[in-house]
Amino acid sequence: MKTAILYESWHHGNTKKLCEAIKKEYNDVVLLNAKEDAIALEEYDLIGIASGIAYGKFYKEIEQITKEKMPEGKNIFLMYTCGKLGQDVTKSITKTLSSKKCTVLGTYGCTGYNTYGPLKLIGGMNKANPTEDEIQGAVKFYGDIISKLKK
Ligand SMILES: Cc1cc2nc3c(=O)[nH]c(=O)nc-3n(C[C@H](O)[C@H](O)[C@H](O)COP(=O)(O)O)c2cc1C
């Protein structure tokens, strides 16, 4: 089974930490940076979409690439880091994915260091996030997804 994780993590590299921890444990996973890498997703059986959150949604680059380049019918998992948990941040991306008949197998979200706007003046929030436990939570989340798919 071939997995790629399409990610964008421009604010503080918080989401990238989750992706890199997964790659460290499962080294056949391919990480694709939404801004820097050529995005060709057809060959992958499982595709992760990972992003920081801006204005209640996955980053616009990720939303756009998903619209333009996600093949139909793929198995997907979603990961994000955000300033504050508890918002429905996957609504927009999920809508795009369902229009492409993709199946979302699971979602993992945790908090991440945030210095957006006036937060910068007070040194930001969630300075220590994602914590090692939150990062390992993402690795376990991925492990659970692939073991379900292999059954
Ligand atoms: C322009 C901007 C807008 C943001 N909007 C939200 C938001 O609507 N909700 C939220 O919980 N966090 C928001 N955040 C915080 C980020 O989602 C959070 O810091 C995230 O961990 C950044 O991920 P990254 O380092 O992988 O880019 C925002 C941050 C920025 C810079």
Side-chain angles (χ1 to χ4, degrees):
M1 192 182 65
K2 287 181 79 174
T3 302
I5 304 178
L6 170 68
Y7 75 93
E8 184 50 58
S9 186
W10 59 262
H11 188 38
H12 284 294
N14 298 324
T15 314
K16 190 176 180 187
K17 288 181 187 163
L18 311 183
C19 301
E20 285 180 338
I22 291 172
K23 169 91 185 156
K24 197 171 165 201
E25 185 77 23
Y26 300 92
N27 56 26
D28 53 342
V29 170
V30 173
L31 301 186
L32 297 171
N33 181 295
K35 278 191 195 149
E36 292 166 10
D37 295 319
I39 307 300
L41 298 169
E42 194 61 64
E43 67 186 284
Y44 299 101
D45 310 295
L46 176 63
I47 300 168
I49 304 177
S51 178
I53 298 301
Y55 315 113
K57 292 161 108 174
F58 278 41
Y59 287 152
K60 63 178 190 307
E61 298 82 2
I62 286 280
E63 295 266 356
Q64 196 60 30
I65 288 179
T66 304
K67 273 189 192 135
E68 287 170 7
K69 302 207 167 152
M70 183 61 69
E72 291 217 333
K74 292 290 184 186
N75 278 326
I76 306 285
F77 62 95
L78 300 175
M79 298 198 305
Y80 64 89
T81 64
C82 63
K84 195 169 183 295
L85 288 170
Q87 316 154 79
D88 185 7
V89 294
T90 62
K91 203 170 167 181
S92 168
I93 197 115
T94 302
K95 197 172 160 203
T96 304
L97 291 166
S98 74
S99 76
K100 290 174 172 279
K101 302 179 181 62
C102 292
T103 306
V104 179
L105 301 170
T107 301
Y108 181 82
C110 68
T111 53
Y113 181 39
N114 181 13
T115 55
Y116 175 51
L119 286 171
K120 214 175 348 200
L121 304 174
I122 54 162
M125 67 190 282
N126 312 329
K127 269 191 191 164
N129 301 81
T131 62
E132 192 51 35
D133 276 1
E134 287 168 327
I135 293 169
Q136 289 313 313
V139 176
K140 181 178 180 305
F141 163 75
Y142 177 69
D144 290 347
I145 298 259
I146 54 171
S147 58
K148 267 186 223 148
L149 277 179
K150 282 178 185 160
K151 269 183 198 159

